[in-house]
Amino acid sequence: QSALTQPPSASGSPGQSVTISCTGTTSDVGGYNYVSWYQQHPGKAPKLMICEVSKRPSGVPDRFSGSKSGNTASLTVSGLQAEDEADYYCFSYAGSDNWVFGGGTKLTVL
Amino acid sequence: EVQLVESGGGLVQPGGSLRLSCAASGFTISSYWMHWVRQAPGKGLVWVSRIKNDGSVTTYADSVKGRFTISRDNAKNTLYLQMNSLRVEDTAVYYCANSDWLDPWGQGTLVTVSS
């Protein structure tokens, strides 16, 4: 159950777009469309932003989008806003009823 | 309002036990698989355990297998995590979350394992 690989940090200026990657293997990210993304502000519980690779739950701004290519899933935040500054985590089904998170990415809005 | 509220955390000595609860309101948990996730201080999220909606199937991360037990009481709309043989490295905020999309999450309960 090795953690999925995310860059430790990412950054962008207000209005810009930033993409966060989440790399796994054919046993997890590449093998299933059960990839989701979570936003976590300091001291707060995580919040679902994207499910099933690219589906956006009700209430999540359409500035947030998800995709997957091979063993790598991606979260793109367009039109960066100050309130997007947070930690972001990917999460994937890993087969045999196991699940795994990415290590997390700290997004800084410059 | 759809809400999950964890309780039961606290300070415990290594080798001790704790039972966490996760009470749901605003929806019925009996329709959903549910998960426990933990986060050590300053660290990332780690998946801990999952239970089928009727309680018949449970799975665990290798790090807690044989020590933790997930269960549920659908009549009480509550999820549980029994934690035995606790280790210092189990120190974390423990979150419950609804469904395989982990939505919503509770606010978390802090478990500190220390002598």
Side-chain angles (χ1 to χ4, degrees):
Chain A
Q1 296 171 340
S2 299
L4 305 175
T5 300
Q6 295 183 234
S9 63
S11 63
S13 299
Q16 289 186 332
S17 293
V18 64
T19 296
I20 299 170
S21 62
C22 170
T23 301
T25 68
T26 54
S27 297
D28 39 60
V29 173
Y32 309 94
N33 285 328
Y34 276 82
V35 178
S36 49
W37 289 90
Y38 303 87
Q39 176 191 67
Q40 186 180 34
H41 287 109
K44 300 295 187 181
K47 174 188 174 184
L48 176 67
M49 305 303 285
I50 296 289
C51 61
E52 281 185 82
V53 175
S54 60
K55 295 182 178 179
R56 198 172 45 252
S58 173
V60 174
D62 59 7
R63 302 184 292 103
F64 291 84
S65 62
S67 63
K68 189 181 82 167
S69 178
N71 297 335
T72 298
S74 298
L75 173 71
T76 298
V77 186
S78 305
L80 271 175
Q81 298 183 5
E83 59 262 36
D84 299 333
E85 184 162 298
D87 293 327
Y88 291 84
Y89 295 89
C90 60
F91 181 61
S92 175
Y93 181 60
S96 301
D97 208 19
N98 289 302
W99 300 76
V100 62
F101 279 98
T105 299
K106 181 177 181 61
L107 174 61
T108 301
V109 180
L110 302 171
Chain B
E1 179 189 7
V2 172
Q3 194 174 12
L4 293 170
V5 178
E6 299 95 337
S7 60
L11 175 63
V12 62
Q13 292 188 339
S17 298
L18 275 179
R19 188 196 197 201
L20 306 184
S21 298
C22 168
S25 59
F27 72 105
T28 303
I29 69 169
S30 59
S31 300
Y32 303 99
W33 293 71
M34 296 196 72
H35 295 249
W36 285 99
V37 175
R38 69 184 181 184
Q39 186 171 35
K43 302 297 185 181
L45 300 173
V46 175
W47 176 76
V48 172
S49 184
R50 177 188 190 234
I51 186 168
K52 191 177 178 181
N53 57 335
D54 64 0
S56 62
V57 178
T58 59
T59 52
Y60 302 90
D62 289 343
S63 58
V64 307
K65 201 171 294 183
R67 300 187 299 123
F68 289 13
T69 302
I70 188 173
S71 63
R72 63 196 297 160
D73 186 336
N74 288 340
K76 294 184 178 180
N77 222 25
T78 301
L79 175 73
Y80 302 100
L81 186 67
Q82 177 67 43
M83 303 186 296
N84 298 331
S85 303
L86 281 162
R87 305 168 179 168
V88 170
E89 55 265 34
D90 294 320
T91 294
V93 173
Y94 284 74
Y95 296 99
C96 60
N98 179 59
S99 85
D100 288 341
W101 302 124
L102 305 184
D103 180 49
W105 295 59
Q107 85 290 350
T109 186
L110 176 62
V111 172
T112 303
V113 185
S114 175
S115 54

